Amino acid sequence: MRPYRALNRPVGRKFLHVCDAVLGDARCGADLANAAFQVATTSIRAAGSRSFICADAGALSKGDFAGGTLTWSSGGNAGQTAIIRSAKAHSDGVLVEVDRDLIDPPQEGDAFSAVVGCDKRKQTCAAKFDNLNNFRGFPYMPGETWVTAYPVGGDVHDGGSQSGG
């Protein structure tokens, strides 16, 4: 190993408006084993190389699963995991789109389980997971435009929040 590679390694935290924790890890603390954060259902048919129609499992079509993970437990894709790009209500059930091409087109009855996703925003952490105490972002940190800002006559300069909250 070359000596300079040790200096090219990320160390410490990132200062971002959004959370830098991984959903469900020790820093996040969200309990993904909670039944409200997962669903198991079966596919009905393929709808493309990255999408399929599945049986409506209630919470799956509400949009909470976008960004979450999907793991196939039976069929030609058994054992494969993918990131859920979207899950929308469809006339036959729920249309699910994943981040990559499926190995095998899902057949009727292929089972999978899905775990919710997180968009890493403070509002989501509070409302969806009731986990604001473990939020690891900096939502009130000034953005890049703040550095170049200057006072303008007629503007309110009362020391209020830059984010409007």
Side-chain angles (χ1 to χ4, degrees):
M1 182 169 163
R2 296 184 176 136
Y4 60 85
R5 286 195 181 169
L7 298 174
N8 200 19
R9 198 171 30 127
V11 177
R13 294 191 54 199
K14 296 177 183 175
F15 289 91
L16 304 168
H17 291 272
V18 295
C19 184
D20 67 347
V22 175
L23 180 62
D25 73 359
R27 291 178 54 229
C28 169
D31 181 15
L32 297 181
N34 184 335
F37 299 143
Q38 52 185 309
V39 68
T41 189
T42 58
S43 65
I44 296 174
R45 70 174 184 279
S49 61
R50 294 179 179 210
S51 57
F52 61 94
I53 310 276
C54 70
D56 189 1
L60 190 60
S61 63
K62 292 181 185 172
D64 290 343
F65 287 81
T69 57
L70 177 143
T71 305
W72 293 96
S73 53
S74 69
N77 296 303
Q80 298 297 314
T81 300
I83 305 293
I84 301 170
R85 293 183 72 135
S86 67
K88 302 175 203 163
H90 186 272
S91 60
D92 295 336
V94 179
L95 175 64
V96 178
E97 182 184 358
V98 295
D99 67 332
R100 59 180 170 196
D101 291 341
L102 299 168
I103 294 172
D104 238 2
Q107 304 297 317
E108 184 175 354
D110 289 358
F112 68 90
S113 60
V115 177
V116 296
C118 181
D119 63 6
K120 310 281 189 176
R121 295 179 320 123
K122 176 185 170 207
Q123 297 86 342
T124 304
C125 195
K128 187 174 181 179
F129 298 102
D130 191 25
N131 193 30
L132 193 55
N133 288 342
N134 291 330
F135 181 71
R136 301 290 183 233
F138 302 91
Y140 302 114
M141 181 175 64
E144 293 174 7
T145 57
W146 180 80
V147 175
T148 61
Y150 55 90
V152 176
D155 284 356
V156 176
H157 302 289
D158 62 358
S161 172
Q162 289 276 329
S163 65

